[in-house]
Amino acid sequence: MCLIHAAPPVSTKDKSPAIASPRVAALIPEMMHYEQIDPDVILEDAKKELIRAAKYLIANLQDPYETAWFMASGAKVEACLHTAHRMGLYGAWDDAPSNTMTAAALGKKLNAHPIMIVRILRMLVVHGVFEEVQEEVYVHNRLSRSISTWPFNHPMHGVLELTTDIHPKMPTYLETVTKYQNPGELGDTVNLFQFACRTKLSYFEWLQEHPEYRAHFDKAMLDVNAWFCSGQPMGLAALYPFEAELAYGTVDDDVVLVDVGGCRGQLLVDVHKHMPNLKGRLVLEDLPKTFTGVKAPQGIEIVPYNFFEPQPIVGARAYVFRHIMHEWPDYECKIILSNTIPAMAKGRSRILIIDQVLPNISGDVSAYEAFLDIQMMFLSAGQRKETQWRKMLREAGLRIVKIWPEAKYDRVIEAVPIAWSLSMDAPRIVLIVLLLIFLFLSPDTQPTTPAQKREVDALILEERQAIGLLNTSHYGDLDSQNQLWLNLTGFRQDDGYRWDLLPKVQERAREQLWTLLGPPGYLKLDGGVDERLREKVKGTPAEANIQTNGSWIVNLPENPTRVYQNVTGIVRGQWIRSAIDDSTAHSTLNLTTLAPQVPYITHEFNRNVTGHGGDMRIKLNEKDSELLATEHGSVREIRAELTIKDDNSSGDGWEMTLYGVHYPEIGGIVLSTTGEKFPGIFVLPHLMLSEHTFSLARRLLTQTLPVTVDNQEASLYSSYTYPWSSSPNNPSDMTFPTPHCEYIVYLQQHPAEISGSRWRGSENTNTLSWIEDELRFPTGAPLPNIPLMEMTALIFSPDCGFVLESKGPPEYTPQDATHLTGPKLESYMRLARHWILTFGVILALEIYLLTRQMKDTSTPSTRSRVSFYTIAMMAMGDGFACISFITVSMFIDAAFIALITTAFLAFLCVSFFGMKFLMDIWLEQYPERQERERRAAAANQPPTTAGPSPAVIITAAGADTLPLPVTARRPVDTGASPIPIILPPDQDLDAADTANTAPTQPATRTTLGSARREMGALYTRFYVLLFVIIFLSLHATSWPPTLRSTYTNLLSFLYLSFWVPQIYRNIMRNCRKALRWEYVVGQSILRLTPFLYFYTVENNVLFVATDRTAAWVLAGWVWVQVWALVSQEVLGPRWCVPRGWAPEAYDYHPVLREGGDEEVGGRMPIGFTQATATTAPAANTDSSSSPSSSPMANSAESKDNGKRTFDCAICMQDIEVLVVSAAGGGAPAEGSGVLGGAGLFARRMNKEAKEIARAGALARVGYPTQNIDADYVLLTKLLNKVAIAKW
């Protein structure tokens, strides 16, 4: 192979073999003795690679026509193999005196013609079976010997001979029956076996009818088991850790293992033999005829069973299907599995499918696997890839838990029902409570199971070996250019990682350090002068400062580098693809080799950045890390949470946790993820930029890593978590593991610039370190403007093969981007506390305005004007703020006091003042809602025919009915007859004086009870809606950025529409002055301020992306609402509402006539408000002389008309009433209907007022209190009558 590889390529045009022939001729004898090589000493992966290379070599060297004839002879080869078997050719050498035999000797021994022997052996020799050492002289070789023992020299040949007769008919079958569709997808159709054998029986039914073939089949299955067990001491028991996985919590009476369709039970025999500690019963199931005349093996129970019927064994720990599913198409496999799922015990049972899982690439498929796939086509079945297994099992109602590593072509697929993970037996209220507990409390980690402990023990052993390798390795041991590799997962040559990009990434990181820090920083990076530094300073003034001994640099600035020593904080910026990223497509990683213990559910990599740019955020934390200071430099551990976004990421982007080291003197940071296929933290020193930093990092990690591993091992028996997990949530047991890209991050801090003249100068060289000390341990000293941290980032993914950089100078202008910037944690917390307290002040001002408005809105009339929904929307926002502050306070200790104080103010605003105001408004507007309900019910009733009603009728229900609208036409008093006044008995004073009035009955409790029930429903609806909005907002954090931004803007717009309900109520009730102007303006400004802050301020405390356009829209929308309220106050509530769009309003300000005491009502035209809207009779020709002429007509005819101001006893404010002069200048007769009614009311009110005054005087001098209630009722009646008189 080496000679051929070294030979120069030969042109296809030049057929002369002069150059290659000597080398090939020398190689052929060596290759002919290949059987001297023991294949068992070659690693399986290397063996596959060699076979693949040999196939590739043959395909490229062999003539295409020769290859075609080679493939076409497959059926002939199979026929020759069977003929040789029937002739006894394989055993002809058994008693031969030598290893060689001639064709004549074979013919004589086998009673066959020598030429026939030669023709059969000729085909076999061409295909590598037997070897012809001389003309017609043959010897056994490795392949012929193996065939002589398996599979053709035993009952397996019966099965193969049967299928040999079947498969030649496959082309006709596929063309005529399936129309080239996959047979397994066509349902219950004729399969290839039935088509070729012309039978309606299935293959296994046919075997029952042909005992000789059935015997061959059963014997063949046993021999296949023997072949699978060859070289395996534990036999089939080695396929799966039965004892480790199933023995936990099992007793002797439990059924631990059911081998479904297990033939003679070879699997159970091996388990019983090699796992004596496995408690429980072993059950073997198969068709009844399989067990005819067969004795049950020791320790195994036999149960006749057809797996197309319900499974009789209930609650077994595992149901095994070995080499079953590949004999049945998908739709029948689903039937088999669906018969087993109901018998499984939740949380205990599992299904184990032992079968082949084909590689995704056909080039990786072995000849045996490909042969078996086509072989099973005669049953409309076949072998399956992992994706096909997952699809079929998912459709059957199963979820794959794990696919165990391959053992001689077979793998074990462990599955459980999907319904187990989706069951919701608990009531919904319990689910909600559990959800709240999950959100606000940290659940205790469950103890690890024995199987998990064994896995973790193996992981800890690998970690200790990695630490040992780190101790003995040197800088430069990882060098892909010189073929130097580390014996760790991901760092081997054949793992397929892009380590060829690492030198370019490291050089780019050095260039960034040189650009930012210059020679001083580079000197500290290398720990002295080296060739790289000499090359850097060549041609610069610094070159002259290098001493001849090359050990140090003189005349360098003595001031320390102005970088933060502790970089705990948050930096943000934008990323772009680096010029190093060549976007070269690399081969797909073999995840089965890299992480055989992890059953990935997909081969699509998470965290794979495919865009050309986006946002990134890094949260750095080194608060609890110890500084390792040596005479050569200092270093400390650091932890970071990286969030990176591109067009394909969802929510906040891809989040991951990285661990690494920080060099405070130069501000350099190197971070890496760590996972099952990438031990980044253990190889981190090899990723450093110099040997000096490699030594510091190795010295630190060899001290800290063993301690962490010891703690990891100690927590194994209590609650285990992986200490270097790259998942932010640190799951110890992933239910659905997916592969993800690994990251290596290089950060370089920029020198900090301190603003302010008093802080500049040589005397303040230590200003930055002093600022850090004051921030961490405050003494109250004044601080300058604290500079932000600024960093350059370089991100490299070795497995996904991309390189990213932070966006900024010098490639981009500062206006475009400035790399990664952000505050230190202490500075950020100071800013956060200031804004939290500012928000607290806003809440306090809101409470102040609300209390003043509640005091001003203390009467039924004023409360009826306020919109309930306006106050409810404000309270909803305060409740959202309260829950948010309480939740955040649980995670941020540094701002706990400020957060909890602000949350308490928000709680006061919503629970005490806001809900109290809502209750008052709700109760006051309850009769109005009842009236609307009555009207709606009346509108739904069928209309009834009624006769004409009198002009004015006051019924007993008159106190509950409102007068006619102001737009209704006024009746015209013709003087012909008075307008009648009809009073109910309880309002007739004369009847009251002459008869004994029954005591007034108290109001029924029905109305009050209904109001209380509605208040309870109000509380429930309010808080349910509040928590729905909160949970929806939490869920929105994982949405794509566009959808999340739309949701946020929409929610903000709806919240800031709180004045819309008030505008609507003003229109519907035709009222004004519902709210104080200081309340309207103040609440608008205060509630809009937080939105303007987050929408417009770049470096806000939540790092929310700004949107100034949305901010202007929200501010403009609030401004429009306020001006709508102003216009309603000045121009009228309905100034912009067309007539007929709103219900007609009522006239609370009737027109009074001049010439009497209008306020008392002596001249009050009560008939105007009580008469029906009818037109004047046609006989009324002189409507202008009528005392009941319309106000507009009177106003037009008299210049003396004007307005008078009255003190309203109901609305508690001054109102202006239009007053017109009486017609003819005289007062109407007292006996007229209009004025008679007013006089009657006046007399009654005067009399009742005297009684009330008398009752009050008696109460003050000790009048019995039992009469005060009756007096109060009398006073209430009087006020109602005053209201009617006013109307």
Side-chain angles (χ1 to χ4, degrees):
M1 297 288 291
C2 297
L3 292 174
I4 295 177
H5 181 73
V10 180
S11 173
T12 57
K13 297 181 181 180
D14 185 8
K15 299 298 182 178
S16 174
I19 298 178
S21 293
R23 298 180 179 179
V24 174
L27 183 65
I28 289 176
E30 180 181 350
M31 295 178 65
M32 293 297 292
H33 293 83
Y34 68 95
E35 62 178 342
Q36 298 177 1
I37 303 174
D38 185 3
D40 295 331
V41 302
I42 304 176
L43 295 177
E44 193 65 29
D45 291 341
K47 190 186 301 182
K48 291 181 179 179
E49 290 297 326
L50 289 172
I51 294 172
R52 186 183 295 111
K55 291 179 180 178
Y56 178 80
L57 184 63
I58 293 173
N60 283 274
L61 292 180
Q62 196 172 42
D63 186 270
Y65 289 98
E66 180 70 18
T67 304
W69 292 121
F70 192 85
M71 293 179 177
S73 61
K76 285 76 176 176
V77 174
E78 192 171 3
C80 292
L81 289 171
H82 288 296
T83 302
H85 165 71
R86 293 189 180 188
M87 293 173 59
L89 185 61
Y90 298 112
W93 277 263
D94 291 345
D95 54 354
S98 64
N99 189 33
T100 62
M101 289 194 69
T102 64
L106 289 171
K108 183 179 180 180
K109 186 173 183 178
L110 301 176
N111 195 21
H113 197 284
I115 296 179
M116 177 58 64
I117 297 292
V118 171
R119 296 180 69 181
I120 295 296
L121 288 177
R122 180 182 296 124
M123 177 63 75
L124 296 180
V125 168
V126 169
H127 285 82
V129 183
F130 294 104
E131 182 178 349
E132 188 174 6
V133 293
Q134 295 179 10
E135 183 179 359
E136 298 186 3
V137 178
Y138 304 94
V139 296
H140 258 312
N141 59 11
R142 178 170 171 265
L143 185 55
S144 61
R145 283 198 207 95
S146 63
I147 292 179
S148 67
T149 57
W150 192 95
F152 295 97
N153 200 23
H154 60 54
M156 186 68 180
H157 82 275
V159 179
L160 294 177
E161 283 187 349
L162 176 64
T163 58
T164 302
D165 297 335
I166 293 174
H167 282 94
K169 300 178 182 180
M170 185 176 73
T172 305
Y173 169 75
L174 295 177
E175 180 182 8
T176 59
V177 179
T178 70
K179 307 300 183 183
Y180 299 111
Q181 303 300 310
N182 186 26
E185 307 293 334
L186 299 179
D188 190 12
T189 59
V190 175
N191 58 35
L192 178 58
F193 167 78
Q194 295 168 327
F195 175 80
C197 296
R198 301 182 182 275
T199 179
K200 295 183 179 180
L201 299 176
S202 69
Y203 176 65
F204 295 100
E205 292 172 342
W206 185 87
L207 287 179
Q208 300 297 334
E209 300 293 333
H210 297 78
E212 67 281 7
Y213 279 99
R214 176 70 194 192
H216 289 323
F217 181 84
D218 292 341
K219 183 64 169 63
M221 294 301 102
L222 294 176
D223 291 329
V224 169
N225 289 337
W227 176 66
F228 272 95
C229 296
S230 60
Q232 181 57 255
M234 295 183 64
L236 296 178
L239 291 172
Y240 180 81
F242 295 99
E243 191 172 13
E245 294 293 327
L246 305 180
Y248 186 70
T250 304
V251 297
D252 292 336
D253 293 336
D254 292 340
V255 177
V256 65
L257 204 59
V258 178
D259 189 1
V260 184
C263 194
R264 301 299 173 86
Q266 183 64 42
L267 171 65
L268 298 182
V269 171
D270 289 342
V271 170
H272 179 71
K273 177 180 179 181
H274 299 287
M275 297 181 177
N277 296 326
L278 182 61
K279 298 181 180 180
R281 297 152 52 198
L282 304 177
V283 176
L284 174 63
E285 294 180 337
D286 212 313
L287 294 173
K289 291 186 178 181
T290 305
F291 301 134
T292 302
V294 177
K295 182 180 179 181
Q298 183 180 1
I300 299 173
E301 304 175 22
I302 289 180
V303 176
Y305 170 62
N306 183 348
F307 46 55
F308 286 104
E309 298 174 357
Q311 172 62 247
I313 307 298
V314 179
R317 294 301 301 270
Y319 298 87
V320 181
F321 296 86
R322 180 170 180 270
H323 293 174
I324 300 295
M325 300 302 169
H326 77 158
E327 296 175 346
W328 300 94
D330 282 1
Y331 74 94
E332 291 188 295
C333 289
K334 297 171 190 176
I335 297 175
I336 296 171
L337 294 171
S338 63
N339 287 328
T340 305
I341 292 176
M344 300 175 68
K346 183 177 180 181
R348 287 177 53 86
S349 301
R350 70 198 70 183
I351 287 178
L352 303 178
I353 299 175
I354 303 176
D355 223 316
Q356 294 180 11
V357 179
L358 296 180
N360 294 326
I361 306 300
S362 298
D364 297 333
V365 177
S366 67
Y368 170 71
E369 293 169 328
F371 166 80
L372 204 58
D373 182 42
I374 297 298
Q375 184 79 0
M376 292 297 106
M377 187 180 289
F378 84 101
L379 299 177
S380 293
Q383 307 302 98
R384 297 175 177 90
K385 298 191 295 185
E386 181 177 340
T387 54
Q388 294 172 313
W389 278 114
R390 292 188 181 277
K391 178 178 180 295
M392 187 269 288
L393 293 177
R394 182 172 62 251
E395 293 173 352
L398 294 170
R399 173 179 61 86
I400 294 180
V401 176
K402 184 175 182 179
I403 299 180
W404 293 81
E406 180 179 316
K408 208 157 191 179
Y409 299 112
D410 277 352
R411 300 187 70 178
V412 180
I413 303 173
E414 183 177 344
V416 297
I418 297 176
W420 290 0
S421 58
L422 301 178
S423 60
M424 299 180 62
D425 300 328
R428 283 179 291 178
I429 186 63
V430 176
L431 180 62
I432 294 175
V433 172
L434 293 177
L435 180 62
L436 293 176
I437 294 175
F438 175 79
L439 290 174
F440 294 105
L441 299 177
S442 298
D444 296 333
T445 305
Q446 298 296 326
T448 53
T449 63
Q452 291 174 332
K453 290 177 181 178
R454 281 187 289 273
E455 292 181 4
V456 176
D457 284 336
L459 177 63
I460 291 176
L461 178 61
E462 293 178 1
E463 292 172 351
R464 295 193 184 280
Q465 292 174 350
I467 295 175
L469 178 62
L470 179 61
N471 270 320
T472 58
S473 60
H474 302 84
Y475 187 68
D477 285 351
L478 177 62
D479 188 350
S480 61
Q481 296 176 348
N482 296 319
Q483 300 300 312
L484 297 177
W485 306 95
L486 300 174
N487 189 21
L488 293 173
T489 302
F491 294 85
R492 297 183 290 258
Q493 182 178 5
D494 297 333
D495 289 341
Y497 285 32
R498 291 296 306 275
W499 292 118
D500 57 304
L501 295 176
L502 180 61
K504 301 178 183 178
V505 173
Q506 291 175 322
E507 185 58 32
R508 176 61 176 162
R510 295 188 190 100
E511 291 177 1
Q512 292 175 346
L513 184 144
W514 175 266
T515 303
L516 296 173
L517 302 183
Y522 215 93
L523 178 66
K524 294 177 182 178
L525 172 69
D526 287 330
V529 178
D530 62 359
E531 293 302 323
R532 280 199 301 265
L533 182 58
R534 292 180 182 274
E535 186 65 26
K536 287 287 185 182
V537 302
K538 187 175 182 180
T540 65
E543 183 179 10
N545 294 330
I546 299 180
Q547 293 290 341
T548 56
N549 59 6
S551 60
W552 54 287
I553 300 179
V554 298
N555 297 329
L556 288 176
E558 297 180 0
N559 298 339
T561 306
R562 293 191 175 186
V563 293
Y564 284 112
Q565 301 297 296
N566 188 301
V567 293
T568 300
I570 303 173
V571 291
R572 298 183 305 152
Q574 295 179 317
W575 63 266
I576 57 172
R577 286 209 173 261
S578 174
I580 303 173
D581 190 348
D582 54 9
S583 300
T584 302
H586 58 287
S587 59
T588 304
L589 300 181
N590 189 346
L591 296 176
T592 305
T593 303
L594 293 173
Q597 74 281 7
V598 181
Y600 291 117
I601 63 174
T602 179
H603 289 280
E604 295 294 331
F605 275 63
N606 194 13
R607 306 177 192 164
N608 189 11
V609 179
T610 58
H612 297 283
D615 298 329
M616 63 184 300
R617 181 179 70 246
I618 303 179
K619 182 179 180 181
L620 301 166
N621 184 3
E622 53 179 348
K623 292 188 298 183
D624 301 327
S625 61
E626 295 293 335
L627 178 68
L628 174 64
T630 67
E631 65 277 10
H632 303 294
S634 58
V635 64
R636 59 156 45 103
E637 286 186 311
I638 188 171
R639 179 178 180 269
E641 294 179 9
L642 171 63
T643 302
I644 189 166
K645 303 180 185 178
D646 73 349
D647 297 336
N648 296 326
S649 60
S650 61
D652 285 332
W654 289 300
E655 299 180 355
M656 67 208 76
T657 303
L658 303 95
Y659 297 86
V661 295
H662 173 214
Y663 300 94
E665 295 179 349
I666 59 175
I669 301 171
V670 183
L671 301 160
S672 173
T673 57
T674 303
E676 64 279 354
K677 59 183 179 60
F678 187 74
I681 189 65
F682 298 93
V683 196
L684 194 66
H686 291 276
L687 308 176
M688 296 303 157
L689 304 182
S690 66
E691 187 172 0
H692 174 65
T693 53
F694 165 85
S695 301
L696 290 175
R698 184 177 65 174
R699 182 171 177 180
L700 173 66
L701 294 178
T702 52
Q703 294 178 7
T704 59
L705 290 180
V707 176
T708 306
V709 174
D710 291 341
N711 296 333
Q712 178 185 5
E713 188 173 15
S715 65
L716 177 61
Y717 298 95
S718 57
S719 59
Y720 173 77
T721 55
Y722 187 60
W724 298 287
S725 173
S726 61
S727 173
N729 300 322
N730 193 18
S732 58
D733 185 15
M734 296 181 294
T735 307
F736 303 104
T738 58
H740 50 254
C741 297
E742 306 294 346
Y743 282 67
I744 299 171
V745 179
Y746 294 89
L747 298 177
Q748 180 56 55
Q749 189 181 165
H750 294 209
E753 295 294 335
I754 303 176
S755 60
S757 58
R758 61 171 293 194
W759 304 102
R760 297 195 185 99
S762 59
E763 67 276 7
N764 293 306
T765 55
N766 293 321
T767 300
L768 194 62
S769 60
W770 176 80
I771 291 176
E772 282 195 87
D773 293 339
E774 181 63 25
L775 287 174
R776 298 191 67 185
F777 311 104
T779 60
L783 289 173
N785 293 330
I786 302 173
L788 297 175
M789 292 190 300
E790 185 174 358
M791 296 184 179
T792 300
L794 190 62
I795 301 175
F796 168 47
S797 177
D799 51 350
C800 293
F802 58 80
V803 183
L804 313 177
E805 290 188 25
S806 57
K807 185 178 180 181
E811 289 81 5
Y812 295 86
T813 63
Q815 290 75 17
D816 294 333
T818 55
H819 292 289
L820 305 181
T821 58
K824 280 178 56 64
L825 178 64
E826 298 84 1
S827 178
Y828 170 76
M829 294 311 303
R830 288 184 63 189
L831 178 65
R833 284 191 293 266
H834 291 165
W835 279 107
I836 293 169
L837 294 177
T838 301
F839 198 86
V841 173
I842 291 175
L843 289 171
L845 292 175
E846 290 178 2
I847 294 175
Y848 170 75
L849 294 175
L850 183 60
T851 54
R852 285 181 59 86
Q853 181 63 50
M854 292 173 63
K855 183 178 180 181
D856 192 70
T857 313
S858 57
T859 63
S861 176
T862 52
R863 289 174 184 166
S864 66
R865 301 178 193 176
V866 180
S867 172
F868 171 84
Y869 296 102
T870 290
I871 307 302
M873 290 174 69
M874 294 182 181
M876 190 71 66
D878 298 332
F880 188 91
C882 177
I883 299 297
S884 301
F885 282 119
I886 291 176
T887 304
V888 175
S889 67
M890 300 172 64
F891 302 100
I892 303 179
D893 297 335
F896 176 79
I897 296 178
L899 287 168
I900 209 66
T901 302
T902 307
F904 178 71
L905 290 174
F907 177 75
L908 287 179
C909 194
V910 63
S911 297
F912 286 88
F913 299 102
M915 293 305 297
K916 175 63 170 59
F917 198 20
L918 285 175
M919 291 171 58
D920 294 340
I921 297 173
W922 183 268
L923 292 175
E924 194 59 46
Q925 297 177 5
Y926 179 74
E928 179 183 338
R929 292 190 298 276
Q930 277 192 322
E931 179 64 22
R932 287 198 300 266
E933 293 173 359
R934 283 199 297 265
R935 290 178 181 175
N940 295 329
Q941 293 178 355
T944 57
T945 306
S949 58
V952 179
I953 294 179
I954 302 177
T955 64
D960 291 336
T961 60
L962 293 173
L964 292 177
V966 68
T967 55
R969 298 185 60 183
R970 301 292 183 182
V972 179
D973 187 5
T974 62
S977 62
I979 301 175
I981 303 292
I982 301 176
L983 298 176
D986 63 340
Q987 295 187 19
D988 193 344
L989 287 177
D990 297 332
D993 291 340
T994 59
N996 293 329
T997 306
T1000 306
Q1001 296 295 330
T1004 60
R1005 298 181 180 179
T1006 304
T1007 302
L1008 184 58
S1010 300
R1012 287 178 177 174
R1013 284 194 298 271
E1014 287 197 14
M1015 281 304 302
L1018 170 66
Y1019 267 100
T1020 302
R1021 287 195 293 267
F1022 178 84
Y1023 286 108
V1024 167
L1025 180 59
L1026 175 61
F1027 278 98
V1028 166
I1029 294 175
I1030 290 175
F1031 287 128
L1032 184 62
S1033 301
L1034 288 175
H1035 188 264
T1037 58
S1038 62
W1039 295 353
T1042 303
L1043 183 60
R1044 184 179 58 207
S1045 177
T1046 302
Y1047 168 78
T1048 303
N1049 293 335
L1050 179 61
L1051 187 64
S1052 303
F1053 184 85
L1054 292 177
Y1055 171 68
L1056 293 177
S1057 302
F1058 43 73
W1059 295 130
V1060 172
Q1062 185 60 57
I1063 296 171
Y1064 175 77
R1065 187 164 183 82
N1066 290 347
I1067 294 173
M1068 299 303 293
R1069 289 187 56 85
N1070 195 30
C1071 61
R1072 302 178 281 190
K1073 298 183 179 179
L1075 300 170
R1076 296 167 57 90
W1077 279 114
E1078 68 176 27
Y1079 181 80
V1080 173
V1081 177
Q1083 290 285 6
S1084 300
I1085 296 175
L1086 293 175
R1087 295 185 181 275
L1088 184 61
T1089 299
F1091 290 90
L1092 295 180
Y1093 168 71
F1094 288 114
Y1095 273 87
T1096 59
V1097 178
E1098 291 289 344
N1099 295 317
N1100 54 72
V1101 294
L1102 295 182
F1103 300 107
V1104 177
T1106 59
D1107 189 348
R1108 298 184 184 274
T1109 302
W1112 286 115
V1113 170
L1114 295 177
W1117 174 234
V1118 176
W1119 182 84
V1120 168
Q1121 297 175 70
V1122 173
W1123 274 104
L1125 292 174
V1126 172
S1127 64
Q1128 288 183 326
E1129 176 71 19
V1130 176
L1131 303 177
R1134 299 185 174 184
W1135 69 272
C1136 62
V1137 179
R1139 183 180 298 274
W1141 284 24
E1144 295 185 350
Y1146 299 101
D1147 185 12
Y1148 293 96
H1149 311 293
V1151 178
L1152 300 183
R1153 292 189 180 279
E1154 190 177 23
D1157 187 358
E1158 291 82 358
E1159 182 177 4
V1160 176
R1163 303 296 185 188
M1164 182 178 178
I1166 191 171
F1168 280 13
T1169 62
Q1170 301 298 335
T1172 58
T1174 59
T1175 59
N1180 295 340
T1181 58
D1182 189 10
S1183 62
S1184 61
S1185 63
S1186 172
S1188 300
S1189 299
S1190 66
M1192 294 298 295
N1194 292 337
S1195 177
E1197 296 175 1
S1198 177
K1199 296 181 180 180
D1200 297 332
N1201 291 343
K1203 296 181 180 180
R1204 294 193 181 182
T1205 303
F1206 293 90
D1207 184 12
C1208 179
I1210 294 182
C1211 57
M1212 299 181 65
Q1213 62 184 0
D1214 295 335
I1215 60 174
E1216 292 180 347
V1217 178
L1218 181 65
V1219 178
V1220 299
S1221 60
E1230 189 174 338
S1232 66
V1234 175
L1235 299 183
L1240 177 61
F1241 276 108
R1243 292 196 304 274
R1244 293 176 61 187
M1245 288 189 289
N1246 288 336
K1247 183 176 180 179
E1248 292 179 357
K1250 292 177 182 179
E1251 293 180 2
I1252 294 299
R1254 178 177 58 80
L1258 292 175
R1260 286 194 295 272
V1261 297
Y1263 188 74
T1265 57
Q1266 58 268 23
N1267 294 331
I1268 295 179
D1269 292 339
D1271 294 334
Y1272 176 76
V1273 173
L1274 186 59
L1275 177 60
T1276 304
K1277 293 170 60 180
L1278 175 61
L1279 293 177
N1280 290 335
K1281 294 165 186 175
V1282 170
I1284 296 174
K1286 284 292 183 182
W1287 290 337

